Amino acid sequence: PPAELAKRREFIREAVRHAWEGYSTKAFGRDSVAPVSGRPVSSGFDMAVTLVDSLDTLWLVDLKDEFRKARDFVADDAFGAKLRKPPASASVFETCIRVLGGLLGAYELSRDPIFVQRAVDIGDEIYKRVDRQTGVVPPSFGGGAGGCPSLAHAGTTQLELLYLSRVSGDRKYAAVARKSCPSVLTLPCASRGRHR
């Protein structure tokens, strides 16, 4: 029934508002907020991952004022500078799905070009780490050997970078992304069915 759906929709909207207010008042601009202490937490990213990861959700539940506040944070040049210099400890995979994916999702819904600009900022950093032969990324921005890359790593890198090429018009991201899945499938660990 429509009345029940409206009630559920409002319940979900208020749950998102509650979660966002907790983050926004206690840790806005930081990676996350600790659930018990309410303290800001740096998860080794220093890229406001909760904020960026929440953009599409804020849009979808029609919390447009909250979305605009987060958008303005993303638009600030200081945030762009952080994206252009990710910490060596930050996971490339997590950055790809949470930061690059969050920015691209926000662009897809809002069509605000600032999200493409910021996606290019972090996308260029991810691109620099992609192995040109295999299309596989290292575990962190600092490098390191990852052993047998997982299908999740290869797949999400491919998805996000292909879409970044589409919205930015720069084909370099797609060129390296298309190498990842075929490369992973040819590794010795793929034949054993093990992906770590």
Side-chain angles (χ1 to χ4, degrees):
E4 180 63 26
L5 291 177
K7 183 178 174 183
R8 289 180 185 181
R9 188 171 22 254
E10 190 56 29
F11 179 83
I12 292 166
R13 186 173 191 259
E14 289 309 311
V16 171
R17 184 193 314 273
H18 172 77
W20 177 256
E21 285 178 2
Y23 168 76
S24 184
T25 58
K26 304 210 179 224
F28 189 84
R30 301 287 296 274
D31 284 340
S32 59
V33 61
V36 177
S37 69
R39 292 189 182 132
V41 175
S42 175
S43 307
F45 293 91
D46 197 27
M47 292 182 254
V49 291
T50 296
L51 183 146
V52 176
D53 208 9
S54 300
L55 287 163
D56 54 357
T57 302
L58 294 172
W59 182 275
L60 289 170
V61 298
D62 200 31
L63 293 175
K64 297 300 192 296
D65 289 341
E66 292 84 348
F67 177 86
R68 279 188 284 280
K69 181 180 177 185
R71 179 254 178 235
D72 291 346
F73 178 86
V74 167
D76 190 279
D77 288 337
F79 183 67
K82 283 185 175 192
L83 295 180
R84 291 185 296 274
K85 194 170 171 90
S89 62
S91 162
V92 177
F93 171 72
E94 290 291 331
T95 300
C96 193
I97 63 174
R98 297 193 67 195
V99 181
L100 181 56
L103 293 165
L104 293 172
Y107 172 73
E108 179 64 24
L109 294 169
S110 71
R111 294 298 188 201
D112 186 328
I114 190 59
F115 297 120
V116 174
Q117 182 180 338
R118 292 295 175 250
V120 167
D121 288 339
I122 192 62
D124 281 345
E125 296 307 311
I126 293 168
Y127 174 82
K128 289 175 190 174
R129 273 65 176 197
V130 177
D131 182 290
R132 295 301 183 266
Q133 299 300 314
T134 65
V136 174
V137 295
S140 70
F141 284 95
C148 181
S150 73
L151 290 177
H153 280 78
T156 195
T157 303
Q158 187 177 59
L159 174 69
E160 310 295 4
L161 292 179
L162 285 170
Y163 189 67
L164 181 56
S165 276
R166 180 175 169 212
V167 299
S168 70
D170 191 335
R171 295 178 158 209
K172 72 180 183 184
Y173 309 110
V176 296
R178 285 194 174 100
K179 295 179 180 182
S180 60
C181 282
S183 177
V184 168
L185 294 175
T186 63
L187 292 171
C189 57
S191 64
R192 296 189 309 267
R194 287 185 274 164
H195 298 281
R196 295 178 249 157

